[in-house]
Every structure is written in C-alpha cells, then in structure tokens.
C-alpha cells in the first residue's frame, strides 16, 4: 500500500499524523535506550533514524477489521492510556501471583480449574490481541482460543482467576484503552475442565 493511498484512505480509523508522531517518539526512545549516548551526534542520528523508519513502515502497521471495512493502526491508542494500562496490568499480575501462591501452598490444595467462556467483541483486532495476551500473561489463566465472532475460551486455575474473568475488569480496561464501547458477555463456566 503506497503512501498516497494511506493518506487518502477513508477506511483508516485515526490520524496518520498522530500515529506517525507516536511511532517516531517510541522509535527515538528505543534508539536512545539502546545507544546509551547523549552526545549531539547520537541524538541527531536517532532523530533521523526514527523519522525515516516511521516514514517507511507506517503503512505496514495498519491492520484491517474482519470485514476489511476499516483499517486500524497497531499503535492506535493514547500513550498515556497505555502507560496507565501497563501499571494496572502489573498490579493485576501481582494479585494473580498471590492468588496462585495461596491456592498452591494452603493446607488443602485450592486448585479449582475451570474453562470460562465469554464474548468480547471489538472491531479493532489489536484490542482483541491485547486482551488475549494480557489474560495469558496473568498467572493462573491461559487463553486457549479466540474465535472470529469474539468468543474467548480461557482456562482458569483458581476460583479467583475465574471470578476475575467473569467480572469483566480486564475487558473494561482494554475497551477504555482503545476508546471503544464495552461489548462483553459471559457465556458459561464449566467446572473441572483442563
């Protein structure tokens, strides 16, 4: 897809300028972190490299929805919202670690495996990807399957992990991150499945 086509494509959700600006800032920060030098020449090299790389790759970072009626930027979220989401996710990882630790070290093993099924419908495929990966990162839960119609099948190791999926907290956060309405519905829980 050529640059001119991207600039004029009405299917694109979001502003190419904002996306390119965010991408350039992220690439420049990555450059600075890897180089470790703050001399002027390294800063200039980093700026030039970030701008050229952004210009060459931004059409490649567009993903279509299922119907291919819209195109979304891979980094189509607010950087401040992503920082807040990352902090929130790290806290959820701590809570889930404690839950699994207590379940495994109690006098009677409190492992209660379940398969939790719910629908999370998002037009933006990146929202679905972030949700599935966030669930899998959280100890005690694994995303087993995500269907085209938005059905998630999650293996939960403990009752606390299953309850966390059913209450929709992570789904709400992902919808908030991408600025979309929450379309979430629990289908069923099946106990004893692994």
């Amino acid at each position: 897809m050529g640059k001119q086509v991207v600039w004029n494509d009405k299917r694109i959700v979001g502003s190419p300028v904002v996306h390119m600006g965010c991408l350039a800032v992220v690439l420049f920060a990555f450059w600075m972190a890897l180089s470790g030098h703050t001399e002027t020449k390294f800063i200039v090299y980093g700026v030039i490299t970030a701008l050229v790389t952004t210009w060459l790759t931004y059409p490649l970072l567009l993903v279509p929805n299922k119907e291919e009626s819209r195109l979304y930027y891979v980094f189509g979220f607010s950087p401040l919202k992503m920082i807040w989401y990352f902090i929130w996710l790290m806290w959820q990882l701590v809570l889930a670690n404690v839950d699994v630790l207590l379940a495994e070290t109690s006098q009677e093993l409190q492992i209660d495996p379940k398969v939790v099924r719910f629908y999370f419908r998002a037009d933006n495929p990146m929202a679905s990807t972030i949700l599935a990966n966030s669930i899998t990162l959280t100890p005690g839960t694994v995303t087993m399957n995500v269907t085209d119609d938005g059905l998630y099948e999650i293996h939960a190791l403990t009752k606390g992990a299953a309850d966390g999926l059913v209450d929709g907290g992570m789904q709400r956060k992902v919808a908030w991150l991408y600025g979309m309405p929450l379309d979430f519905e629990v289908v069923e829980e099946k106990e004893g499945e692994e």
Side-chain angles (χ1 to χ4, degrees):
M1 181 179 301
K3 303 272 187 284
Q4 204 57 21
V5 173
V6 170
W7 283 105
N8 298 323
D9 195 338
K10 301 295 183 207
R11 298 177 304 155
I12 296 175
V13 176
S15 166
V17 174
V18 171
H19 173 71
M20 288 177 67
C22 289
L23 181 58
V25 168
V26 168
L27 290 173
F28 176 71
F30 188 62
W31 170 276
M32 292 306 294
L34 289 179
S35 76
H37 296 286
T38 56
E39 290 94 25
T40 305
K41 72 176 184 178
F42 289 107
I43 292 174
V44 170
Y45 293 157
V47 168
I48 292 170
T49 302
L51 292 175
V52 169
T53 304
T54 297
W55 179 251
L56 291 174
T57 62
Y58 82 91
L60 303 174
L61 299 175
L62 288 167
V63 290
N65 63 353
K66 284 181 277 255
E67 298 82 27
E68 296 191 10
S69 60
R70 291 187 180 151
L71 295 170
Y72 292 93
Y73 287 108
V74 171
F75 298 110
F77 48 75
S78 161
L80 293 177
K81 281 186 174 183
M82 179 51 88
I83 290 168
W84 179 249
Y85 179 77
F86 180 77
I87 292 168
W88 177 84
L89 182 61
M90 291 303 105
W91 179 244
Q92 296 307 306
L93 295 179
V94 169
L95 295 177
N97 269 307
V98 170
D99 179 53
V100 171
L101 178 69
L102 293 175
E104 291 179 353
T105 59
S106 63
Q107 289 289 343
E108 292 184 27
L109 196 61
Q110 295 180 0
I111 303 287
D112 186 18
K114 295 178 169 69
V115 173
V116 178
R117 291 177 175 83
F118 62 83
Y119 282 100
F120 177 77
R121 295 173 193 90
D123 193 49
N124 187 338
M126 290 307 299
S128 298
T129 302
I130 289 287
L131 178 62
N133 287 334
S134 296
I135 289 170
T136 299
L137 277 174
T138 308
T141 55
V142 175
T143 304
M144 299 187 314
N145 189 29
V146 179
T147 64
D148 287 340
D149 61 344
L151 176 66
Y152 285 68
E153 295 177 319
I154 313 296
H155 181 271
L157 189 62
T158 65
K159 182 178 182 332
D163 292 344
L165 292 167
V166 171
D167 79 1
M170 191 171 286
Q171 295 87 338
R172 271 191 294 283
K173 285 291 186 189
V174 170
W176 168 80
L177 175 63
Y178 283 93
M180 59 187 208
L182 178 64
D183 187 357
F184 166 69
E185 171 191 359
V186 176
V187 176
E188 64 182 290
E189 286 185 39
K190 290 191 177 179
E191 296 186 18
E193 290 191 15
E194 294 187 39

